[in-house]
């Protein structure tokens, strides 16, 4: 196989960060796009000279495709991925969060193994230069013993944001600030400091009228003995403030900040790195989808395992579930016991119907 052929399901806000890498790649190409809102698919298709569909069953029955990128509402990722895997036997690339419930993660993995295909979860911020620099130093022990790691995500999402689409701000399809916005930074905290042992969280819905939280705070203790704190909110007003991770450790202070932890603003271990390990992002989505797609091609074409494979991608979803379960019960939970939220990803047939693809 010389070139991987991709199709996209879901042509909404994040689609540009998928068509961009495919347009720029010499090893992968886009062949078709699909959206229930056919106008969105047609616009994207016209821009990139590919075919547009409004039903992915029709698209996958007709097109020769190796990988399907699933960019639909979060709560539909398992349904759409399972359909693509079980009916068409294709590899899938799934936007974050690849599933909301732990049960769905198991179903997806079982189906992929049975069909011999792969699932690639998207966590593009792992590729940020600042993140990579700090991770390298942490792994070689250069930062010494860690005392505390803290996530501070303070973004502004008003009622209009949540009212834009029926899926937003729902337990069945989206999750709250921890899930939709926070997942990248929970993942980065785990990528840098490892998995927590215990998790305690409180959540609140303060400035918008939605069923999920717009604000959540968590306290973690890590296997290493370090402590962690996470403060995630979409209730910053009047604008986004930061997506920061700070690590205080034996050999210095590390602060990643900017709109998506894309700037290394304090690095006492090597202050020069603050100049070299920074990127200006045009939006919080950043540039990580480009190397992410290159790694998908390297995995499928060269057999080099993707650095963020399925199992790696489950870690942040397990942490989300632990945070919510703790908040739901008002008690600390043990991460290793895989606590599951009672609300996140709970099926809602009426909402699902809005996003199901009808079999022809
Ligand atoms: N990696 C990131 O930083 C990042 C950023 C934004 C969004 N996302 C994720 O991407 C996903 C989509 O988010 P968005 O903001 O683009 O949402 P969106 O609502 O703008 O787009 C989703 C699109 O999927 C389409 N769709 C739904 N069901 C479909 C079906 N059965 N067949 C074809 N099309 C279907 C909808 O019509 C809609 O146009 C979410 O899971 C979100 O969490 C990730």
């Amino acid at each position: 196989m010389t070139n991987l052929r991709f199709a996209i399901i879901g042509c909404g806000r994040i689609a540009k960060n998928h068509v961009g890498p495919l347009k720029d790649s010499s090893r992968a190409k886009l062949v078709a796009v699909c959206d229930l809102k056919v106008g969105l698919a047609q616009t994207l298709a016209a821009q990139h000279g590919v075919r547009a569909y409004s039903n992915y069953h029709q698209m996958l029955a007709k097109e020769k495709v190796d990988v399907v990128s699933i960019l639909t509402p979060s709560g539909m990722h398992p349904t759409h991925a399972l359909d693509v895997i079980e009916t068409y036997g294709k590899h899938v690339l799934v936007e974050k969060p690849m599933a909301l419930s732990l049960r769905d993660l198991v179903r997806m993995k079982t189906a992929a193994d049975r069909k011999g295909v792969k699932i690639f979860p998207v966590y593009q911020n792992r590729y940020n230069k600042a993140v990579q620099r700090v991770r390298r130093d942490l792994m070689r022990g250069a930062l010494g013993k860690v005392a505390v790691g803290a996530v501070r995500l303070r973004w502004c999402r008003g009622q209009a944001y949540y009212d834009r689409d029926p899926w937003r701000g729902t337990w069945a399809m989206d999750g709250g600030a921890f899930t939709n916005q926070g997942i990248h930074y929970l993942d980065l905290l785990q990528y840098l400091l490892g998995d927590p042992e215990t998790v305690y969280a409180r959540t609140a819905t303060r400035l918008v009228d939605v069923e999920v939280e717009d604000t959540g705070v968590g306290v973690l203790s890590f296997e290493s003995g370090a402590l962690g704190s996470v403060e995630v909110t979409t209730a910053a007003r009047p604008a986004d403030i930061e997506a920061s991770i700070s690590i205080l450790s034996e050999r210095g202070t590390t602060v990643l900040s900017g709109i998506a932890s894309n700037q290394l603003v304090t690095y006492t271990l090597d202050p020069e790195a603050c100049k070299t390990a920074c990127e200006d992002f045009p939006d919080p989505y950043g540039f990580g989808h480009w190397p992410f797609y290159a790694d998908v091609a390297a995995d499928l074409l060269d057999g080099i395992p993707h650095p963020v494979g399925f199992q790696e991608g489950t870690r942040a979803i397990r942490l989300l579930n632990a945070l919510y379960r703790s908040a739901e019960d008002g008690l600390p939970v043990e991460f290793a016991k895989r606590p599951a939220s009672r609300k996140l990803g709970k099926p809602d047939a009426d909402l699902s119907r809005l996003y199901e693809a009808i079999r022809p």
Side-chain angles (χ1 to χ4, degrees):
M1 194 190 300
T2 51
N3 242 322
L4 287 173
R5 293 158 301 199
F6 279 77
I8 284 177
I9 304 177
C11 301
R13 284 150 58 101
I14 197 59
K16 71 179 173 57
N17 287 62
H18 292 260
V19 294
L22 289 170
K23 185 167 66 95
D24 295 342
S25 173
S26 57
R27 314 192 74 199
K29 67 173 181 173
L30 183 64
V31 296
V33 296
C34 172
D35 200 295
L36 293 174
K37 298 172 190 161
V38 71
L40 283 181
Q42 283 166 343
T43 304
L44 205 62
Q47 282 164 2
H48 298 280
V50 299
R51 284 168 292 279
Y53 294 83
S54 60
N55 183 310
Y56 63 72
H57 290 296
Q58 283 168 351
M59 175 172 78
L60 295 173
K62 193 156 172 207
E63 299 287 344
K64 276 203 165 111
V65 170
D66 304 302
V67 191
V68 178
S69 299
I70 296 175
L71 322 181
T72 53
S74 304
M76 293 306 287
H77 293 169
T79 304
H80 294 156
L82 283 165
D83 236 1
V84 170
I85 292 169
E86 287 174 339
T87 312
Y88 302 99
K90 306 297 179 193
H91 302 290
V92 293
L93 182 160
V94 189
E95 258 299 350
K96 63 80 189 163
M98 64 174 160
L100 297 173
S101 76
L102 303 182
R103 197 183 49 248
D104 280 339
L105 286 177
V106 175
R107 291 171 63 214
M108 289 162 77
K109 179 75 172 114
T110 306
D113 287 349
R114 203 168 41 229
K115 286 289 182 177
V117 297
K118 293 192 173 174
I119 300 173
F120 298 99
V122 179
Y123 291 101
Q124 81 274 9
N125 287 313
R126 284 198 184 198
Y127 292 92
N128 294 359
K129 283 183 184 171
V131 171
Q132 281 302 316
R133 173 60 205 260
V134 173
R135 158 99 176 168
R136 249 192 334 269
D137 287 341
L138 275 166
M139 292 302 107
R140 66 187 179 89
L143 284 163
K145 192 170 171 179
V146 174
V148 62
V151 165
R152 218 162 57 184
L153 177 65
R154 295 166 162 178
W155 282 354
C156 172
R157 301 289 181 272
Q159 192 66 41
Y161 165 85
Y162 289 101
D163 291 346
R164 186 182 290 140
D165 305 290
W167 68 274
R168 296 189 188 274
T170 64
W171 285 114
M173 290 289 152
D174 191 7
F178 271 150
T179 314
N180 188 318
Q181 289 77 20
I183 187 167
H184 286 301
Y185 306 95
L186 299 175
D187 173 65
L188 290 183
L189 194 66
Q190 288 171 288
Y191 184 49
L192 296 172
L193 298 190
D195 288 335
E197 256 174 7
T198 59
V199 175
Y200 177 68
R202 299 296 300 264
T203 57
T205 311
R206 298 295 299 158
L207 301 190
V208 285
D209 181 17
V210 288
E211 62 188 35
V212 296
E213 85 286 358
D214 67 357
T215 301
V217 173
V219 176
L220 316 180
S221 56
F222 289 95
E223 286 163 5
S224 66
L227 294 181
S229 74
V230 296
E231 178 206 315
V232 174
T233 186
T234 51
R237 298 290 184 271
D240 290 354
I241 301 170
E242 61 179 327
S244 305
I245 299 176
S246 56
I247 297 170
L248 307 186
S249 63
E250 219 175 347
R251 307 230 173 81
T253 300
T254 303
V255 182
L256 299 101
S257 194
I259 193 66
S261 291
N262 47 316
Q263 307 274 343
L264 190 53
V265 293
T266 306
Y267 203 46
T268 57
L269 180 74
D270 175 11
E272 276 301 299
C274 294
K275 291 184 198 142
T276 54
C278 282
E279 293 161 280
D280 288 328
F281 282 178
D283 54 44
Y285 309 158
F287 302 128
H289 286 84
W290 276 255
F292 169 80
Y293 267 91
D295 281 340
V296 172
D299 184 312
L300 296 177
L301 297 176
D302 307 330
I304 300 168
H306 199 288
V308 200
F310 176 85
Q311 286 306 340
E312 191 64 16
T314 63
R315 290 169 68 192
I317 297 169
R318 287 178 56 205
L319 180 51
L320 280 173
N321 271 272
L323 288 162
Y324 283 126
R325 183 56 182 263
S326 169
E328 288 160 15
D329 291 354
L331 292 169
V333 295
E334 287 179 50
F335 182 78
K337 290 190 175 166
R338 297 176 175 262
S341 166
R342 295 194 177 86
K343 296 194 242 176
L344 185 64
K346 198 168 171 218
D348 179 323
D350 290 338
L351 270 177
S352 288
R353 252 190 300 280
L354 296 178
Y355 302 112
E356 274 161 10
I358 295 161
R359 281 176 190 272

